Amino acid sequence: QVQLVESGGGQVQAGGSLRLSCAASGRTVDDYYMSWFRQAPGKEREFVAGIHYSTYYTDSVKGRFSISRDNAKNTMYLQMSSLMPEDTGVYYCAANPTVGHWGTPGEYEYWGQGTQVTVSS
């Protein structure tokens, strides 16, 4: 079993930055596919970024967000810059040993509890 705990969310003004962390426990996840999803009120959960041996981003965050992982700490990060109000939502980290399609939430077995990000204009 893998447990995931997100941290680093908060409230920031448009143009600001935040760094989210996702700490894994239970086993090492250095060979797992790991991703960030977000969910805004009234909307479906959407893929933001993923990392395995490469990194992947949804178009709306390319050039603004950067995903990384520190295998020694069993932790994944999401550095978010130039934040916009439309980035507001609950951000979740997810992990799975294999993934066929990065953007499908059902592909991931392990999820964190989420951390709120609010960007004000």
Side-chain angles (χ1 to χ4, degrees):
Q1 281 283 12
V2 175
Q3 293 80 43
L4 302 174
V5 178
E6 303 96 334
S7 62
Q11 186 165 352
V12 65
Q13 289 192 328
S17 299
L18 284 172
R19 188 177 83 152
L20 306 183
S21 299
C22 172
S25 61
R27 62 147 285 163
T28 57
V29 292
D30 55 356
D31 57 344
Y32 273 42
Y33 289 75
M34 298 190 72
S35 291
W36 289 97
F37 285 78
R38 67 187 178 191
Q39 189 165 18
K43 295 188 176 181
E44 292 187 353
R45 193 167 297 189
E46 65 168 347
F47 172 81
V48 175
I51 187 167
H52 189 229
Y53 294 109
S54 299
T55 57
Y56 303 89
Y57 299 91
T58 193
D59 286 346
S60 63
V61 308
K62 286 179 181 177
R64 301 189 298 120
F65 290 12
S66 178
I67 189 171
S68 62
R69 66 199 303 171
D70 184 335
N71 290 333
K73 295 183 178 180
N74 221 26
T75 299
M76 175 179 66
Y77 304 96
L78 185 68
Q79 177 67 49
M80 305 185 295
S81 302
S82 301
L83 282 162
M84 301 184 293
E86 47 265 48
D87 295 316
T88 294
V90 179
Y91 282 69
Y92 299 90
C93 65
N96 208 67
T98 61
V99 167
H101 185 266
W102 286 96
T104 303
E107 297 259 0
Y108 299 83
E109 180 176 359
Y110 304 106
W111 290 86
Q113 82 289 349
T115 185
Q116 176 71 45
V117 171
T118 302
V119 184
S120 58
S121 57

